[in-house]
Amino acid sequence: MTDGILGKAATMEIPIHGNGEAGQLPEDDGLEQDLQQVMVSGPNLNETSIVSGGYGGSGDGLIPTGSGRHPSHNAAPAGPGDEVARGIAGEKFDIVKKWGINTYKCTKQLLSERFGRGSRTVDLELELQIELLRETKRKYESVLQLGRALTAHLYSLLQTQHALGDAFADLSQKSPELQEEFGYNAETQKLLCKNGETLLGAVNFFVSSINTLVTKTMEDTLMTVKQYEAARLEYDAYRTDLEELSLGPRDAGTRGRLESAQATFQAHRDKYEKLRGDVAIKLKFLEENKIKVMHKQLLLFHNAVSAYFAGNQKQLEQTLQQFNIKLRPPGAEKPSWLEEQ
């Protein structure tokens, strides 16, 4: 099943003992987080649809709802401004009321699913794809972490080889009897540094591309998934509400409530269907983009690492040219150590 709000909603059951009492529920740290997720988007009271021009005024802005009044109008009778202020207060009250009702229904639905007492709408194929995406993202995050560690180690190796090459070159000048030996070791370290800088450039490009794929492309799709999961919970909450009303008595009062519940249910159903379609489309495009990006990056990584450890400087440079990678020398504001030699 998926993580987050819908985690284990349809599979969790209350164990029943021989005496008919419900046993102790297993600890579930995700339940509290799921409830917090339901409550996370509170009502927005900063903006309302009623402005000062709404009653024939100038329309310069919102009328404040505070109790303070202008000193020159303390004894003045209620005017259009007071009516607008009352209208804004009433609108904000309606917003809070609707948010409270929606939060109550969703929390009730979530708990009924979690305790195995309610039903939930399931798109098995889509939820399997979502779970696969989350698992893929976790694995790619691990690759990203290892890639960053590799760049850090390569950079440290380059610094050591740089210092060692300088030490060999210095000793070559000061040790005539070992000048040749120190000299070719210094040249070897220079060559290793040059190849190492090329490899580091390739690995940095690989890591940067994986980072974009994980933190932007995949995360954008998962944000839509979260919206879809929240819409699914709301849809089922209002579906359950409508079903309960449909089973009740039919009189003048309940008919009106039933029609209102039907309209609200249809609105949430439309929202759920739209987001389900959005998720399906994003998952499809994400898979296509992932294959395209990773095909290029894995080929780059393989060719660069193979050429480096084979000591094939020409192939290493050709690999970077093939993927249009430009090296950024250590210390962007000054030439690299190799250019100074």
Side-chain angles (χ1 to χ4, degrees):
M1 307 305 295
T2 61
D3 297 329
I5 293 181
L6 306 182
K8 302 162 233 175
T11 61
M12 190 172 185
E13 298 180 356
I14 301 177
I16 305 296
H17 298 298
N19 58 8
E21 295 180 357
Q24 183 178 0
L25 286 173
E27 293 184 4
D28 188 354
D29 294 335
L31 179 57
E32 182 178 353
Q33 296 177 1
D34 292 345
L35 291 173
Q36 290 175 350
Q37 183 68 27
V38 173
M39 301 286 290
V40 71
S41 55
N44 181 9
L45 304 180
N46 294 325
E47 296 181 359
T48 64
S49 61
I50 303 176
V51 295
S52 58
Y55 286 83
S58 62
D60 293 332
L62 297 177
I63 300 296
T65 58
S67 59
R69 302 189 179 198
H70 195 281
S72 61
H73 298 285
N74 284 337
D82 295 305
E83 294 293 332
V84 174
R86 282 195 291 271
I88 293 174
E91 182 176 351
K92 289 185 176 181
F93 175 78
D94 289 340
I95 292 173
V96 174
K97 180 181 178 181
K98 290 179 181 178
W99 174 82
I101 293 174
N102 186 74
T103 301
Y104 166 75
K105 291 182 183 294
C106 290
T107 303
K108 179 182 177 183
Q109 176 68 25
L110 176 64
L111 292 174
S112 67
E113 291 177 3
R114 185 59 65 94
F115 295 151
R117 298 170 182 168
S119 62
R120 55 168 298 209
T121 302
V122 178
D123 186 327
L124 292 177
E125 182 180 356
L126 187 61
E127 293 197 9
L128 183 61
Q129 293 178 24
I130 292 171
E131 178 58 28
L132 181 60
L133 170 58
R134 286 182 168 133
E135 180 65 22
T136 300
K137 184 172 182 285
R138 286 191 290 268
K139 292 180 178 179
Y140 274 55
E141 285 172 340
S142 177
V143 171
L144 180 60
Q145 184 179 8
L146 293 171
R148 286 170 173 164
L150 179 59
T151 59
H153 293 317
L154 283 174
Y155 183 77
S156 293
L157 177 62
L158 285 175
Q159 299 305 304
T160 302
Q161 289 175 331
H162 184 178
L164 191 57
D166 284 345
F168 283 154
D170 182 60
L171 286 170
S172 175
Q173 299 298 322
K174 297 179 180 178
S175 305
E177 67 281 3
L178 294 173
Q179 183 176 10
E180 183 178 351
E181 288 81 354
F182 277 126
Y184 61 65
N185 272 283
E187 290 299 322
T188 299
Q189 294 303 315
K190 287 182 183 180
L191 179 60
L192 287 174
C193 276
K194 182 176 182 180
N195 289 348
E197 286 183 359
T198 307
L199 176 63
L200 184 60
V203 175
N204 273 330
F205 187 76
F206 173 82
V207 169
S208 175
S209 298
I210 299 295
N211 181 67
T212 300
L213 181 64
V214 171
T215 63
K216 294 184 179 179
T217 311
M218 289 185 179
E219 189 61 33
D220 175 71
T221 302
L222 286 174
M223 286 298 295
T224 305
V225 167
K226 289 179 180 178
Q227 295 173 5
Y228 157 73
E229 291 175 339
R232 197 284 306 166
L233 185 65
E234 289 181 342
Y235 164 67
D236 279 337
Y238 284 91
R239 173 183 58 79
T240 301
D241 189 50
L242 179 61
E243 290 172 354
E244 291 176 353
L245 281 174
S246 299
L247 295 175
R250 299 295 181 90
D251 54 35
T254 56
R255 276 198 297 270
R257 291 173 56 196
L258 190 60
E259 291 175 0
S260 176
Q262 179 67 47
T264 305
F265 162 75
Q266 187 60 46
H268 284 286
R269 180 178 181 177
D270 293 343
K271 178 181 177 182
Y272 163 72
E273 293 288 351
K274 179 183 181 302
L275 283 168
R276 183 171 65 172
D278 291 346
V279 169
I281 292 173
K282 284 200 172 187
L283 286 171
K284 181 177 181 293
F285 285 141
L286 173 61
E287 184 65 19
E288 294 174 354
N289 185 52
K290 183 192 72 175
I291 293 174
K292 181 180 178 181
V293 169
M294 292 309 299
H295 174 77
K296 176 180 178 180
Q297 294 305 317
L298 291 172
L299 184 62
L300 161 68
F301 191 83
H302 173 269
N303 291 350
V305 172
S306 299
Y308 173 79
F309 283 102
N312 193 334
Q313 179 181 355
K314 183 178 180 181
Q315 183 182 347
L316 192 57
E317 293 175 348
Q318 287 176 345
T319 298
L320 266 66
Q321 293 174 0
Q322 177 185 355
F323 293 94
N324 299 317
I325 301 173
K326 296 182 180 180
L327 287 180
R328 184 178 182 181
E333 60 279 350
K334 61 180 181 180
S336 75
W337 166 69
L338 294 172
E339 295 173 348
E340 293 175 347
Q341 302 304 310

